[in-house]
Amino acid sequence: MITDPIAVTLLLGTFLILILLGKHIAFAIGIATLVTTFYLGIPMQTAAQNMVKGINVFALLSVPFFILAGEIMGAGGISRRLIKLANALVGWLRGGLAMVNIAASMFFGGISGSPTADTSSIGSILIPMMKEDGYDGDFATTVTMASSIQGLLIPPSHNMIIYALAAGSVSIGQLFLAGAVPGILLGVALMIYCYFVSLKRNYPVGDKFNMKTALKAVWEAGLGLGTVLIVVIGVVGGIFTATESAAIAVVYAFIITFFVYREIPLSEMGGILTRSIKTLSIVMILIATSAAFGWIIAYLKIPAMITNVILGISQNKIVILLIINILLLVLGAMMDMVSIILIITPILMPVVTSIGVDPVHFGVIMILNLGIGLITPPVGVILFIGSAISGIKLEKLTRSMVPFYIVMLITLIIVTYFPQVVMFIPTHFMG
């Protein structure tokens, strides 16, 4: 295979040095691309053209709408209603508030698709409640952080859309459906662990199950959860495109928040738009610079080179998937999630397709892997948010996370090596 080893070293070396120096991931990607482009003698406008091409994609129009819908619902009292619903459904179990935390994250994740928003909104309410009720502070915080990862899998998820863009010709509807069972499986696994911890530490039992209370909670939270139904049913049923469904979800979320729930005034919309634009700007600059970076990677034939290296180690599907999982876990602990999806997906796609892994299945494997990275040092952003909310040091939270890491890794193994868990629903409903 003919490639330029100096250019490859320059590209990856510049990128890694800038990351180690603490530069923002988007700048590290962009500068490494420009330096390598200059070395190769490629016109600089080629990099600029690829940056524009990377964000000039119709499917990306759905991302700002999903972000805005999540911000509107998160600010409008939906968190409290979802916690009330979760309490009515699972709060009667031993360690009820821990179960409520996980179930609320499952519901909220379907609306926001953001673990950071989940940890911030659910955690700010439930962590103090759990501590008051006799739960250890580190346990309350780690439950919140671990359960927030469900939001990456439970549809709709804007990270799934970004993966579909990076993978090419992958159905967004199938990705949405594929994430549902793994997301629920992760929640159930966390609940089982929390139940045994609650028995051991004698955490309190919540109020007995009451059907009237449960139905009332479903009614109050149902309007908020309607956002999820609009997107998933619309996309899967072929009624809307992902972009159209996201735009409709924004209008629906706006009406429910400001004219039905009416817990915040219309004047709050300015702050919601500001936060949405800030999040979107970070995502879009990452997509633009990653597109140029990805073009250079393809130009240097790095995907083919990595494919040959991995397949040279082993032809065994189990071993190859293990290698890929380890690689993604390491990268997820050190880099931003969106940039990893955009850069690594085109590199690994030839490897996984060569061993017969469906791109939809691989998308769920990647998202879950990188979700674990969000709560793993040294860069895990969810750890910092959990620490800020609870006031507990990162070192203590990291130690307390160890059992949760084990639970999540077991879930990852099931998702990786039992593709039926991921593919049954999308295959059954969409072929």
Side-chain angles (χ1 to χ4, degrees):
M1 178 179 299
I2 300 174
T3 190
D4 189 329
I6 297 177
V8 173
T9 304
L10 191 61
L11 179 70
L12 301 181
T14 304
F15 172 72
L16 291 174
I17 289 170
L18 290 171
I19 289 293
L20 292 173
L21 289 175
K23 302 302 178 183
H24 190 278
I25 184 74
F27 293 109
I29 292 170
I31 292 171
T33 301
L34 291 176
V35 169
T36 309
T37 300
F38 179 78
Y39 167 78
L40 291 170
I42 299 171
M44 285 296 174
Q45 57 263 38
T46 302
Q49 288 168 353
N50 279 288
M51 290 178 69
V52 173
K53 184 180 177 182
I55 57 177
N56 188 25
V57 179
F58 179 76
L60 278 180
L61 285 174
S62 62
V63 174
F65 290 123
F66 278 126
I67 292 172
L68 180 56
E71 285 286 351
I72 292 173
M73 295 302 292
I78 187 63
S79 301
R80 181 177 55 79
R81 287 175 170 83
L82 292 177
I83 289 171
K84 187 175 179 181
L85 172 61
N87 188 48
L89 297 177
V90 297
W92 51 273
L93 293 166
R94 170 69 65 179
L97 281 182
M99 308 300 177
V100 169
N101 198 324
I102 296 167
S105 292
M106 193 180 298
F107 296 141
F108 189 84
I111 292 173
S112 72
S114 169
T116 54
D118 187 327
T119 303
S120 301
S121 61
I122 300 292
S124 61
I125 298 172
L126 276 177
I127 290 174
M129 285 177 60
M130 291 178 72
K131 289 162 77 173
E132 275 185 30
D133 216 27
Y135 292 80
D136 297 308
D138 57 340
F139 177 77
T141 308
T142 49
V143 169
T144 305
M145 294 189 299
S147 62
S148 71
I149 304 307
Q150 296 171 100
L152 295 169
L153 298 168
I154 301 287
S157 166
H158 64 266
N159 287 289
M160 291 287 195
I161 296 173
I162 293 171
Y163 169 79
L165 169 69
S169 43
V170 177
S171 166
I172 293 174
Q174 283 195 330
L175 283 168
F176 281 175
L177 291 179
V181 172
I184 295 171
L185 176 64
L186 175 60
V188 171
L190 292 171
M191 284 184 177
I192 292 171
Y193 169 71
C194 288
Y195 178 76
F196 285 107
V197 171
S198 300
L199 284 177
K200 182 179 179 181
R201 301 184 186 180
N202 198 31
Y203 288 148
V205 180
D207 297 331
K208 290 184 178 180
F209 179 79
N210 184 290
M211 180 60 73
K212 184 178 179 181
T213 302
L215 290 175
K216 183 180 178 182
V218 170
W219 172 255
E220 290 182 357
L223 290 174
L225 291 173
T227 311
V228 180
L229 296 178
I230 288 172
V231 175
V232 176
I233 294 176
V235 174
V236 173
I239 304 170
F240 316 122
T241 65
T243 302
E244 291 166 345
S245 67
I248 293 170
V250 169
V251 176
Y252 177 85
F254 180 83
I255 293 171
I256 295 300
T257 298
F258 290 103
F259 298 102
V260 179
Y261 290 164
R262 294 186 294 182
E263 292 193 6
I264 57 173
L266 273 171
S267 59
E268 290 290 322
M269 193 63 195
I272 290 171
L273 287 171
T274 300
R275 292 193 297 273
S276 300
I277 291 170
K278 182 179 179 181
T279 302
L280 179 62
S281 63
I282 295 170
V283 171
M284 295 307 283
I285 193 172
L286 278 170
I287 291 173
T289 53
S290 296
F293 190 82
W295 184 86
I296 287 290
I297 284 176
Y299 181 86
L300 294 173
K301 300 182 176 64
I302 293 176
M305 183 172 62
I306 291 177
T307 299
N308 290 337
V309 169
I310 293 177
L311 294 179
I313 295 172
S314 174
Q315 297 286 328
N316 187 292
K317 182 177 181 178
I318 294 174
V319 175
I320 292 173
L321 286 173
L322 177 62
I323 294 170
I324 290 173
N325 273 319
I326 293 172
L327 173 64
L328 290 173
L329 286 169
V330 172
L331 290 174
M334 298 189 298
M335 290 173 57
D336 176 83
M337 184 174 188
V338 172
S339 59
I340 297 175
I341 293 173
L342 292 167
I343 294 170
I344 297 298
T345 300
I347 293 176
L348 293 181
M349 192 57 66
V351 180
V352 296
T353 53
S354 70
I355 58 174
V357 176
D358 191 287
V360 173
H361 179 206
F362 180 61
V364 176
I365 294 173
M366 173 175 276
I367 296 296
L368 180 52
N369 259 296
L370 302 183
I372 296 172
L374 290 175
I375 49 177
T376 306
V379 180
V381 64
I382 305 299
L383 277 175
F384 290 95
I385 294 174
S387 176
I389 293 173
S390 63
I392 299 172
K393 291 183 178 181
L394 286 171
E395 295 80 5
K396 185 175 182 181
L397 287 181
T398 302
R399 289 194 298 270
S400 299
M401 274 298 305
V402 171
F404 289 96
Y405 290 139
I406 294 171
V407 172
M408 298 175 82
L409 288 174
I410 291 171
T411 305
L412 176 61
I413 290 170
I414 294 171
V415 167
T416 300
Y417 294 111
F418 297 91
Q420 300 87 348
V421 172
V422 177
M423 298 303 299
F424 174 77
I425 293 181
T427 301
H428 182 73
F429 283 96
M430 298 188 70

